[in-house]
Amino acid sequence: PPSPHTHTQNTFTLFSTSTSHKLTICFIFLLVLMILVPRQFYSTKILTIPLRNFQSSSSMSIDNYDAMKYRHWVNANEDQLTDDSNKISIMTYNLLSRHYIWKGVYDHNDRKYLDWDTHRFPLINKTIKQFSCDIMCFQEMEYSVYKKFWCSQFPNDKYHSFYVQKQCPLNLKIYNNDKLDGVGIFVNTDRFDVLDQLKINFGKEVVNHRSEYKLTSDWIQRVISRNTVALILKLRDKQTGKTYYISNTHLYWSPKFNDVKALQIKILLNKLQQFKTEPDASIILLGDLNSNFDSNVVHLLNGESINTTSSPEFKYRKYGINNPLIDSNGFINNPFKLHNVYQDLHSSDKLPFTSFVSRFSDVLDHVFVSDDILVDRLLGEVDPSYCEQREVNGFPNLQFPSDHIPLVVEVSHK
C-alpha cells in the first residue's frame, strides 16, 4: 500500500489543482463583472480596503505638505513702518480631538482623512512646525497625546508648554480622563520669559464663590455642570521688556447654550482683571469661542454690554442680578478695551469661516488684542476656488487635518 507520505502528497496535488481551477473561474467572473457593471456600483468597495494600503500615498502627501497652499498673508498695516525684530507671531488652532468624530457630522468625509495616526496627527504636527509661532494656543488637545508627544520641546527645544485639562462630568463617564482634551499654550522661550500662569474651570469658579450667587437651577444645570476651561499666562518680552497676558479658551459648543458662553467669557474677563497687575500690560485673548461675529460673546469682547433682561439668549433664564457676572442693572460688562483682529477681513467678506464641516461653516475662532497692539499681517481665508471644488465637502480632508483652520497673526506695538 502507498505510504502515508505518498497519500498526503497526492491529496495535496488534487487540492492544488482544484483550487487553481476555482481561482481561475473566480478571476474570470470578477473580470466580467467589472466590464458589465457600471463603475459606481463597485467603486465604493474600494474604500473598505484597510488603511495600511493607503499609507504610501498618504505619506507622500505628508512629506510634501504645505500648510499655506490654499491660504495667503494679508497685510493689515501697510501705512506704518514697524521694527520687524519686535514683531510677535501668534496662533490659535482647534485640533479636533480624535474622540469627537461624531456620526452625522463627518459622514461625508473620506475615511482615510479622518484617521488620526496615518493622516491627521502627522499633518497637525507639520502645520505647527511650519508656523512655529512665538505664542501658540491650542484647543481640543487630548491629554494623553499632549503628555506623550507635545508637552516637552515641541515643536523644538525652544518651546515650553502649559496645559489645563477638562474634567469628565460626574454624570457622563464616557471617557477616562486621559482621553479628555483641554487647552494649551506653547511659548517660544527664546523670546519670552513665563512669569506666571492661571488655570480656570468656569463651573468651579461659580461653585467656589457660591455665596455671591443665588444658585438657581439655571446656574446649576447650565453653567456649573459644564467642564469648560481656560488658561492665562503672564509673559515678559525679552526684547522689549513688555508684559503680556495671554488667554486661551474653548467655550461650550452648543448653540442652545449661548447664554452660558456669555457667562463663561465674563468669568474669564473677571479672572484676567484680577490676575493682571500692571496697568500698561498688553492683552491677547483668543481661542475657539464657538460664537460668530453676531453673537453676544463677540459683542461683549468688542466692548458692548449685554442686557440680560432683554437679550433673547437670556429670555426665561434666571441668573439674577448684582453678582460677580451681572451688575445691579442686569448688564454684563467688559472691563477691557479690546478689538478683534479679523473684524475688517470678515466685514469685507474675506473670512467666511474658520470651521467647515459638510453641514455647517462659520467663524468660531477669534483673536482679540488690547488697543496698544498693532496688527501687521494675518493669515487670510482659505482660497474660495478651492472650497468650491466638488470633492471639498468639509474638513478634515487631504489638505486640512482639522475641521478648524489655524488663525495666525503677526503683531507689534503702536
Side-chain angles (χ1 to χ4, degrees):
S3 68
H5 175 75
T6 305
H7 178 75
T8 303
Q9 194 173 38
N10 292 338
T11 302
F12 178 75
T13 303
L14 289 172
F15 177 78
S16 299
T17 304
S18 175
T19 303
S20 176
H21 289 162
K22 288 179 181 179
L23 287 175
T24 302
I25 293 170
C26 288
F27 177 78
I28 294 171
F29 179 73
L30 288 173
L31 187 61
V32 171
L33 276 179
M34 293 180 68
I35 295 171
L36 296 180
V37 180
R39 179 176 174 82
Q40 60 265 30
F41 285 96
Y42 65 85
S43 60
T44 53
K45 297 295 183 181
I46 297 175
L47 298 182
T48 64
I49 297 173
L51 272 172
R52 61 178 179 273
N53 292 333
F54 289 108
Q55 286 185 5
S56 59
S57 59
S58 179
S59 298
M60 187 180 300
S61 63
I62 290 170
D63 291 340
N64 301 320
Y65 180 70
D66 178 9
M68 289 285 294
K69 186 174 182 179
Y70 297 106
R71 302 183 70 185
H72 62 278
W73 289 103
V74 177
N75 292 322
N77 184 29
E78 295 179 344
D79 298 332
Q80 301 187 43
L81 296 176
T82 57
D83 184 358
D84 287 346
S85 64
N86 288 332
K87 287 184 179 180
I88 299 168
S89 56
I90 308 159
M91 176 168 69
T92 179
Y93 192 15
N94 182 321
L95 306 178
L96 178 57
S97 168
R98 57 179 167 169
H99 304 293
Y100 296 162
I101 305 294
W102 308 118
K103 289 184 178 180
V105 180
Y106 304 99
D107 294 349
H108 297 288
N109 298 69
D110 194 321
R111 286 174 55 195
K112 63 179 175 288
Y113 300 136
L114 296 177
D115 188 87
W116 177 257
D117 294 322
T118 63
H119 183 74
R120 296 188 54 233
F121 179 64
L123 254 63
I124 286 171
N125 287 335
K126 277 271 191 177
T127 300
I128 295 170
K129 289 177 181 179
Q130 283 181 21
F131 287 115
S132 290
C133 297
D134 297 313
I135 302 167
M136 297 187 288
C137 297
F138 303 108
Q139 305 86 41
E140 292 192 28
M141 177 171 271
E142 181 186 338
Y143 177 74
S144 62
V145 180
Y146 168 73
K147 289 299 291 183
K148 186 173 182 179
F149 298 105
W150 288 330
C151 70
S152 179
Q153 299 185 353
F154 180 81
N156 58 54
D157 58 5
K158 298 178 182 178
Y159 285 82
H160 193 171
S161 71
F162 301 83
Y163 182 86
V164 56
Q165 184 195 15
K166 295 190 295 187
Q167 296 299 308
C168 192
L170 295 177
N171 62 340
L172 190 65
K173 286 295 184 182
I174 296 177
Y175 311 126
N176 64 49
N177 277 342
D178 281 357
K179 292 183 179 179
L180 276 170
D181 59 291
V183 301
I185 303 179
F186 290 54
V187 180
N188 177 3
T189 56
D190 278 2
R191 181 64 188 264
F192 291 100
D193 288 320
V194 181
L195 304 180
D196 204 354
Q197 66 170 313
L198 179 64
K199 298 180 179 181
I200 303 166
N201 180 299
F202 295 123
K204 289 182 179 180
E205 280 299 316
V206 177
V207 172
N208 291 342
H209 299 88
R210 54 188 174 274
S211 62
E212 302 176 53
Y213 297 90
K214 183 179 179 181
L215 292 184
T216 62
S217 60
D218 282 333
W219 281 111
I220 296 169
Q221 296 173 12
R222 296 180 68 82
V223 180
I224 293 174
S225 62
R226 308 276 79 83
N227 63 348
T228 320
V229 296
L231 180 62
I232 304 174
L233 294 188
K234 179 181 180 180
L235 307 180
R236 185 184 68 84
D237 188 342
K238 293 181 177 181
Q239 293 188 18
T240 65
K242 187 74 177 175
T243 301
Y244 291 84
Y245 286 86
I246 313 299
S247 177
N248 177 25
T249 191
H250 184 194
L251 300 184
Y252 190 62
W253 67 273
S254 175
K256 295 181 180 180
F257 287 75
N258 288 336
D259 55 316
V260 174
K261 299 173 196 179
L263 295 171
Q264 288 178 339
I265 203 68
K266 174 57 176 174
I267 292 173
L268 179 57
L269 291 170
N270 283 0
K271 297 300 291 183
L272 182 58
Q273 186 179 32
Q274 297 164 12
F275 192 54
K276 180 174 177 285
T277 55
E278 302 82 0
D280 61 341
S282 300
I283 295 172
I284 299 172
L285 188 155
L286 72 174
D288 178 359
L289 306 184
N290 273 312
S291 307
N292 63 24
F293 277 92
D294 296 323
S295 66
N296 276 339
V297 167
V298 171
H299 290 165
L300 178 64
L301 289 172
N302 278 328
E304 302 177 30
S305 295
I306 301 173
N307 187 344
T308 62
T309 63
S310 62
S311 170
E313 305 292 358
F314 284 83
K315 191 175 183 180
Y316 308 123
R317 299 298 168 202
K318 296 181 179 180
Y319 292 113
I321 59 172
N322 201 26
N323 57 53
L325 307 185
I326 304 171
D327 70 15
S328 57
N329 296 313
F331 285 89
I332 301 174
N333 303 301
N334 181 356
F336 303 108
K337 291 183 178 180
L338 306 173
H339 69 274
N340 192 323
V341 304
Y342 276 91
Q343 180 68 61
D344 291 342
L345 209 59
H346 176 71
S347 299
S348 59
D349 297 324
K350 295 295 184 182
L351 188 69
F353 67 82
T354 63
S355 178
F356 177 31
V357 294
S358 60
R359 298 188 299 179
F360 172 85
S361 65
D362 207 342
V363 177
L364 303 180
D365 308 87
H366 300 271
V367 180
F368 286 85
V369 298
S370 51
D371 285 346
D372 60 333
I373 292 179
L374 184 67
V375 180
D376 296 306
R377 67 172 186 166
L378 39 81
L379 191 59
E381 65 181 334
V382 178
D383 187 343
S385 62
Y386 171 77
C387 296
E388 292 168 2
Q389 294 179 24
R390 186 176 180 180
E391 62 270 20
V392 179
N393 56 0
F395 303 155
N397 66 359
L398 174 64
Q399 174 66 20
F400 296 95
S402 172
D403 59 349
H404 289 248
I405 58 174
L407 296 183
V408 182
V409 185
E410 289 184 356
V411 301
S412 55
H413 274 283
K414 293 181 178 178

